[in-house]
Each structure stands twice: as C-alpha cells, then as structure tokens.
Amino acid sequence: MLVSTNVSYNIFAKYIEQEDIFNDKKTLSSSFIPQKISHRDAELNQMGSILAPALKGYHPNNIFVYGTCGTGKTICTKFIISHLQEIIKQSGKSLRSVYINCKMKKVADTEYRLFAQLLKEMGECVPDTGLPTDVLYRRFFERVDSKPSTLIIILDEIDALVKKVGDDFLYNLTRINQELKRSHITIIGITNDLSFRDNLDLRVKSSLSEEEILFKPYNAVQLRDILMERADGGFRPGVVSDTVLGKCAALAAQEHGDARRALDLLRVAGELAERAGEPSIAENHIDMAQQKLDMDRVTETVRGQPSQSQAVLYSIIKCQEKADNQKAWTDKRLLTGDVFDNYLAVCKAGGMKPLTQRRISDLIGELDMLGIITAKVISKGRYGRTRDISLAVKEEPLAKIKTLLQERFG
Ligand SMILES: Nc1ncnc2c1ncn2[C@@H]1O[C@H](COP(=O)(O)OP(=O)(O)OP(=O)(O)O)[C@@H](O)[C@H]1O
Ligand SMILES: [Mg+2]
C-alpha cells in the first residue's frame, strides 16, 4: 500500500538529480581483473620462468606462493596462467588448469569434495556425496591421464584445505606424478599464512615448495599507482583527487601494504560521498570508510566464532560494564575467574552446556589472538596464573557486537 506523507515525494528527488560518482563500480571490486598489473614484474617473471617448460611440453615444478593479504598473489597467478594458456593455444597445443579457492564452503571441506570439485572443473559430472573417495580418486586419475598434457592445479588459500583435511591429501596429490603415464600435475599452492609451511609434513613441504615465490607488501607509492589505475575506470572524472588517492594508499600501506584494503577504502569512501549527495570524495569520507570497514571486519569475526567463544566474549562485555558502573570498585581489572562466573550464568540462561575454566582460559587466549580483547597473563604467586582481560575494540563496533550477542544470549 502506498502511504502518502508530506515528504515522501521528494525523498528520492535529490538522488535522481545527483550526478553519478561512479563510472563503473565493478572496476573497484576486489574480484575485478585489471588489464594491467603494476609493481609485480619480478614476481610475474619468476612465475613465468618456472612455468615456461610447459610451452615445450615439459613439466613445470610445483610452486609455493606466499605473502600477506592483498599483495597480489591470486591476481598474479590467475594472470600468468591465462597468459600461458593463450600462448599454448596459439601453438595448437593445450594446457589444462583448475583453480580452486579452498576457503569456499562445500568445495574443499573433505577429500571427497575436493576431488569432486576437481572433476567438475574438468568437465565431469559428479554427485555431491555417495561415491567412495577412492572411486573418485580413480576417476580423477584416469581423467588426468586420458591425454598427454600438463594439468596445473591452483590451490588458493591452501592453508584452509590442510586445516580441514590434513596434509596426507597433499602428499598423495604430489605423489600422483609417479603413477601417471602420459600426463603430469603441477601444483601451485597459495597462502597468506606465513607459518603454514612450518607445520607441514616434511615430505609434503619439500615437494610443494620445489619453487617458492614471496609477495612482499606494497608500499604507499605502489598502492597509489594501483589505485590510480582502478580509479580511472571506476569513477567519473573529477571525483577523486590526488590527496584522496594518497590518503587511501598511505592508510593501506600502514596496514600491511594491502591492495585490497586500499581499494575497499576508496570504494566505500565513494559510496559514502554518493550517499551524502557530494559530487566528489573528501578526506573525511575516507576516515568514515575506515571506521566502517573496521566495524564490518570486527563484527564479521565475532559472527564467525563458535557459540562458546561468543558466550565468553559476551561475559567479558557484561563484566566490563559491571566494573565500569561500580564507581566504588577501585581495581577494575577483569580476571579469568570473574569472566568464568559470568560465563556460567550466560550458559545457564542460554541453555548451553558450560565448558571447564581451563577451556575458557584457552578461548580467552584465542579472542586475544583475534585482537578483540587483550588478555595479559599475570602470576598470582602460589595461587597460579590468571589473565588480566580488557576489551580491545572501539566504542562503535563494540555496540554492534553487543547487540549481536544480546540477540543470541540476552
Ligand atoms: N599489482 C596490482 N595491480 C593491480 N591490482 C592489484 C595489484 N595487486 C593487487 N591488486 C588488487 O588488489 C586486490 C587484492 O589482490 P589479490 O586478491 O591478488 O591479493 P592476495 O595476495 O591474493 O590476497 P589474499 O592473501 O588476501 O588472498 C585485488 O582486487 C587485485 O585486483
Ligand atoms: Mg588471494
């Protein structure tokens, strides 16, 4: 039903009259593949030289690609593979490649799903469940060996795969070449978990890391160039100034030189400017974009935690509030014991089975690692050790997290 009010007719008027800020917003999304990749010549050349034997029908070594978030690992790998494929196609030969993002749900959760995904990507029809894993393995093997060629398997976010299915799977995959008669598999494993390799089985480590490529963080100047190219296609002329580009680049450079973060800042700043009816992006839009992105990041992290961790965090928030409200309470430190008492009450109210205090202490440690709280271990002499706990998120995200947890436990 259309309800008429005095203002309703002009709510949208200003948006209709407003000049568009964006030219092509897709250009600014992180899934967009740009025409040009800047400041990665060394890494692209290195990857190219390792894969070049495929041009002559020889088998390239496995490659382990690592570096922190947003340093261009995925985009460079995809770029080089499609380039290689194009050249091989021109020469009348063929190269098979399969890209798998192991973090995607229902893709690499189990060995079965991974083989099923590999087969699907190679054009075979496979049921989502039902067949024994070794039947799938056989079908995969036969499919790979059906013609003389190289198959490049890109396992992006490979750490997520190993966390879910262990590294036996990788061992089998790297050993498969010894059985293949006509073809060869080259694996490109990509990760932003810098300690991932240290925990691998030695045999897997040596075969996966036949070659290694490190992607270093971008500096502010490099990020500025990357942003400039994307902004050119993404925004209408005059919307983004040099100052704005420089500020986004500088902020992202401070945060591990992450190009995704720089692009997100610029895109969200554009959205905020558009929403405010401004014709161009100003510096304050970037500040607001940063706050918004931080808020989204923290809330998403909390949302993704298991219930028990969420219950612990909720207890910490409640305890902190109690301490803040009690003016007479001079020592406002929160200790593990305080949180545990509150946690028991939260469990009771929410019908959850409580864990032991020792387990809660571990969960507190994990929340600390995620940067949501700080929990300093302190010694209480012969009474053992405890943790001095405080919240580490700013006011706004905290309010959002509290609402989220209140809906769950309140
Ligand atoms: N050199 C570059 N030139 C142009 N765009 C780039 C460049 N490096 C990164 N980008 C862009 O930055 C974003 C992040 O890059 P990419 O996804 O390749 O990072 P990553 O290293 O794989 O990060 P993660 O470890 O988080 O997966 C993408 O949108 C990509 O298009
Ligand atoms: Mg990536």
Side-chain angles (χ1 to χ4, degrees):
M1 188 177 71
L2 201 61
V3 181
S4 113
T5 70
N6 290 339
V7 289
S8 64
Y9 67 92
N10 66 3
I11 282 183
F12 295 107
K14 62 179 179 189
Y15 298 102
I16 296 169
E17 283 158 20
Q18 187 184 339
E19 278 264 346
D20 283 345
I21 273 202
F22 293 101
N23 173 38
D24 176 11
K25 212 165 164 185
K26 276 199 309 296
T27 318
L28 297 158
S29 82
S30 50
S31 55
F32 178 80
I33 305 214
Q35 294 255 308
K36 194 172 149 220
I37 296 182
S38 321
H39 301 293
R40 282 299 179 227
D41 287 355
E43 293 77 1
L44 288 170
N45 280 327
Q46 193 183 351
M47 209 182 285
S49 72
I50 300 166
L51 296 174
L55 293 170
K56 304 215 165 115
Y58 299 122
H59 306 315
N61 283 342
N62 295 332
I63 314 178
F64 179 63
V65 176
Y66 65 111
T68 49
C69 296
T71 49
K73 301 179 297 297
T74 300
I75 195 178
C76 287
T77 309
K78 283 188 168 172
F79 175 86
I80 210 94
I81 296 294
S82 71
H83 194 45
L84 180 68
Q85 237 157 359
E86 230 169 76
I87 294 183
I88 290 190
K89 203 166 148 198
Q90 279 166 17
S91 68
K93 297 193 194 105
S94 85
L95 172 82
R96 293 180 290 175
S97 75
V98 176
Y99 172 87
I100 292 191
N101 183 341
C102 304
K103 252 203 186 132
M104 294 274 285
K105 276 212 174 102
K106 298 194 177 166
V107 165
D109 296 352
T110 59
E111 221 171 309
Y112 182 95
R113 283 211 166 125
L114 190 66
F115 275 124
Q117 187 67 23
L118 284 166
L119 279 163
K120 275 186 204 159
E121 294 280 339
M122 292 167 81
E124 278 215 21
C125 219
V126 191
D128 282 339
T129 50
L131 296 173
T133 307
D134 51 334
V135 171
L136 275 201
Y137 175 84
R138 264 292 117 204
R139 270 170 73 174
F140 171 71
F141 183 91
E142 279 158 17
R143 179 84 192 197
V144 176
D145 223 16
S146 61
K147 53 180 173 182
S149 79
T150 292
L151 168 68
I152 299 182
I153 301 180
I154 302 148
L155 296 174
D156 203 350
E157 320 261 6
I158 192 170
D159 49 302
L161 170 71
V162 172
K163 259 187 218 132
K164 284 184 270 190
V165 306
D167 56 8
D168 276 0
F169 169 81
L170 272 182
Y171 180 66
N172 294 336
L173 205 58
T174 49
R175 296 254 313 182
I176 209 171
N177 283 327
Q178 296 173 358
E179 287 178 56
L180 290 168
K181 299 213 165 51
R182 312 167 65 197
S183 58
H184 177 90
I185 290 180
T186 293
I187 297 169
I188 304 183
I190 308 177
T191 183
N192 57 27
D193 176 351
L194 301 186
S195 62
F196 164 73
R197 215 171 25 133
D198 303 340
N199 304 322
L200 281 181
D201 177 295
L202 272 181
R203 295 164 309 171
V204 180
K205 189 160 139 183
S206 63
S207 52
L208 183 64
S209 303
E210 284 172 333
E211 312 279 352
E212 290 181 356
I213 306 180
L214 167 66
F215 279 65
K216 293 207 190 98
Y218 293 112
N219 62 32
V221 177
Q222 294 170 328
L223 287 173
R224 201 172 167 287
D225 288 346
I226 292 171
L227 280 183
M228 195 142 63
E229 276 150 22
R230 295 286 267 267
D232 255 1
F235 291 102
R236 291 204 177 274
V239 169
V240 187
S241 65
D242 281 353
T243 324
V244 162
L245 282 185
K247 182 161 177 167
C248 287
L251 286 173
Q254 280 165 18
E255 282 197 44
H256 336 291
D258 177 344
R260 185 180 299 111
R261 175 75 176 182
L263 279 164
D264 285 347
L265 272 174
L266 189 61
R267 193 192 61 253
V268 174
E271 286 167 356
L272 292 170
E274 186 174 57
R275 220 167 286 165
E278 305 282 345
S280 59
I281 302 176
E283 284 192 57
N284 69 317
H285 295 131
I286 304 172
D287 297 331
M288 281 152 59
Q290 185 160 23
Q291 276 173 19
K292 184 174 186 306
L293 288 170
D294 283 345
M295 181 135 98
D296 293 350
R297 185 158 57 184
V298 178
T299 333
E300 276 321 298
T301 310
V302 171
R303 209 190 295 275
Q305 291 306 300
S307 304
Q308 290 287 358
S309 278
Q310 290 181 344
V312 173
L313 180 58
Y314 189 54
S315 311
I316 295 172
I317 295 174
K318 298 289 268 183
C319 282
Q320 181 84 60
E321 276 178 354
K322 214 153 74 190
D324 289 345
N325 289 335
Q326 282 179 349
K327 292 204 181 73
W329 194 350
T330 43
D331 183 5
K332 285 190 173 179
R333 285 203 306 189
L334 292 186
L335 303 179
T336 311
D338 304 322
V339 173
F340 186 66
D341 291 345
N342 207 293
Y343 159 81
L344 292 177
V346 169
C347 286
K348 198 166 173 201
M352 256 166 70
K353 199 164 169 254
L355 302 174
T356 61
Q357 182 156 347
R358 205 195 156 92
R359 237 345 251 134
I360 294 313
S361 184
D362 292 344
L363 293 181
I364 289 174
E366 284 170 22
L367 289 169
D368 183 11
M369 297 250 288
L370 290 168
I372 299 169
I373 61 166
T374 51
K376 242 183 3 221
V377 176
I378 47 174
S379 167
K380 291 186 79 192
R382 65 195 174 93
Y383 296 108
R385 293 181 324 155
T386 183
R387 287 175 196 262
D388 179 0
I389 303 160
S390 53
L391 288 159
V393 281
K394 297 204 188 93
E395 228 169 90
E396 272 189 58
L398 184 60
K400 213 168 164 189
I401 293 172
K402 195 179 151 197
T403 315
L404 190 137
L405 295 175
Q406 236 159 6
E407 278 166 18
R408 170 88 178 72
F409 302 104

